[in-house]
Amino acid sequence: MGAAVQGSGRAVVTVGVYDGVHLGHQRVVERTVAVARERGLRGVAVTFEPHPDEIVRPGARPQRLTSMRRRIELLTRLGIDEVRVVEFTPELARETPDDFAQSVLTERLRAAAVVVGEDFVFGRDASGDVEILRTLGEKYDFAVEVVPRLDDVSSTAVRELLTAGDVETAAARLGRPHRVEGIVVRGYQRGRELGFPTANVETPQHTAIPADGVYAGWLQSVPVANLPTLYEGQRWPAAISVGTNPTFEDVPRTVEAYALDRDDLDLYGTHVAVEFAARLRGNTRFDSIDALIAQIHDDVAATRRLTS
C-alpha cells in the first residue's frame, strides 16, 4: 500500500506504529526519504495493524489518532515510496530482536539502511533498542541511523491533550489540526429544527475524540472508495459539538459539525473529516431553547473569527 514503488531491490526502511504521524514521526520519515534519495533507493515505511499494544497488553485499546487510510496518506505525502502494513500477531510479538532483524528487516524488506527514532524498541518484551539494532545491522548488513526525539511530542501525549480538550496544543504537536473521520448518519435533526443543520458523524470504534465540548474547526468531504462522493475535496468552517447534548434527554455521545452558512448540504452516507482548531466552551444545559439558540449564534461568530 502507498505510493508507487521506484524500482526493486534494497530499501531504506523506517519502522514504527506511526499513529498520528506527529512532528517527531515526521522528522524520522523525512530523514528516511533523504537517505533513500542519497542512496538512490526506495524509502519504505513499516507500520502495524492492529496496534501492538492490543497484542502485548490484551484488553488495551489505544485511541486511534489516525485511521490506517489517513496514516498511509500522511506518510506518502512526506515522500515515502511505499508503506508496508505488517500484521502484528502474537507470533511476531514473540520474535527476538534478532528474529525481527532477520525475518522482517533483512528478508522481507531487504533493508540497506534503517532509520528510527532514539526511543525505538522492538522484539519480544521490547527487549531491543537502538544499540541492539546497530549491532544487528552489522550482522545483517544494514546501516542504522537514529533521529533524536522531540521533547513532549508523542502519540501518548497527543491523546492526553485531546482527552483534556486542548486541541490547539495537540495541533502544535501534530503539525496540523487533529481530525476525526466517519460516515454522516441521520441523527435527531434537532440542529436543523434550530436553524443549524449538523452533520452527525459516526466515527470508527476507538477513535481519539476530543473531550466533550464545543469547538471551532472545519468539516471536509473526503472521497473514499465504494461510498458516495459529493462536494469532493470541499472544506467548510464549522462549529463542532462533541458529547451528549445536556439540554435534551437520552442523547448518545456524538460528533456533530455545522458548516457555517450552509443549510443545503446533503452529506448522508458520505465520508467526511472533522478538524478541530480551538475549544470554545464545555457543554452546558440551557433553561430554554431560546437561550440555546443565542449561545449557538455566539459559537458560530467565534468559529467564524477563528477559522477566517
Side-chain angles (χ1 to χ4, degrees):
M1 304 177 74
V5 177
Q6 299 178 352
S8 59
R10 303 190 73 183
V12 177
V13 177
T14 185
V15 183
V17 178
Y18 284 125
D19 186 24
V21 194
H22 54 60
L23 290 178
H25 292 152
Q26 291 170 38
R27 288 181 66 177
V28 177
V29 174
E30 287 166 353
R31 184 57 191 153
T32 303
V33 171
V35 174
R37 299 294 179 266
E38 290 165 6
R39 290 173 170 246
L41 301 174
R42 296 172 303 138
V44 177
V46 175
T47 185
F48 300 99
E49 182 67 26
H51 194 292
D53 280 356
E54 295 183 31
I55 302 302
V56 300
R57 296 194 295 118
R61 291 291 185 271
Q63 299 297 293
R64 301 294 184 96
L65 296 172
T66 51
S67 66
M68 186 57 72
R69 185 200 62 78
R70 175 66 167 164
R71 197 180 311 173
I72 292 169
E73 175 189 330
L74 292 169
L75 290 168
T76 53
R77 280 186 187 178
L78 292 169
I80 282 292
D81 299 307
E82 182 182 3
V83 179
R84 292 278 191 98
V85 182
V86 173
E87 181 182 6
F88 199 91
T89 62
E91 292 74 23
L92 184 60
R94 287 193 291 269
E95 285 192 351
T96 66
D98 194 298
D99 292 336
F100 183 84
Q102 181 179 20
S103 65
V104 177
L105 297 177
T106 304
E107 294 175 0
R108 278 165 83 173
L109 299 171
R110 301 188 64 192
V114 178
V115 181
V116 294
E118 67 176 308
D119 52 359
F120 176 71
V121 293
F122 66 111
R124 185 169 56 219
D125 300 325
S127 55
D129 58 15
V130 293
E131 293 307 318
I132 290 174
L133 183 64
R134 284 193 173 101
T135 299
L136 292 170
E138 294 175 2
K139 178 177 180 179
Y140 292 110
D141 189 30
F142 57 79
V144 174
E145 183 162 337
V146 178
V147 178
R149 74 185 303 273
L150 284 176
D151 291 340
D152 302 322
V153 178
S154 70
S155 297
T156 298
V158 172
R159 292 188 192 99
E160 290 172 351
L161 289 165
L162 295 173
T163 297
D166 188 354
V167 296
E168 292 178 88
T169 305
R173 303 288 191 269
L174 290 168
R176 64 185 183 281
H178 175 63
R179 70 154 58 174
V180 300
E181 299 186 22
I183 307 299
V184 178
V185 298
R186 292 190 181 275
Y188 293 96
Q189 298 192 322
R190 291 197 177 103
R192 183 170 296 278
E193 293 170 1
L194 298 173
F196 302 92
T198 60
N200 188 342
V201 183
E202 185 175 76
T203 58
Q205 194 174 21
H206 309 308
T207 294
I209 298 172
D212 289 2
V214 177
Y215 297 83
W218 296 270
L219 173 66
Q220 180 175 353
S221 175
V222 179
V224 172
N226 303 320
L227 286 175
T229 301
L230 297 172
Y231 318 104
E232 183 167 348
Q234 292 190 44
R235 185 171 181 256
W236 309 278
I240 305 157
S241 174
V242 175
T244 60
N245 189 327
T247 302
F248 301 98
E249 300 292 336
D250 302 322
V251 178
R253 192 168 193 258
T254 60
V255 177
E256 298 182 71
Y258 164 61
L260 270 53
D261 308 319
R262 298 299 299 263
D263 60 5
D264 59 333
L265 300 178
D266 181 9
L267 293 169
Y268 291 121
T270 66
H271 190 93
V272 299
V274 177
E275 297 183 338
F276 297 84
R279 191 169 194 257
L280 302 179
R281 60 181 176 86
N283 285 341
T284 305
R285 182 180 179 86
F286 293 91
D287 295 331
S288 69
I289 299 300
D290 287 343
L292 172 59
I293 292 173
Q295 180 61 63
I296 294 174
H297 278 291
D298 289 345
D299 296 337
V300 168
T303 296
R304 201 181 304 279
R305 289 194 302 272
L306 289 164
T307 59
S308 62

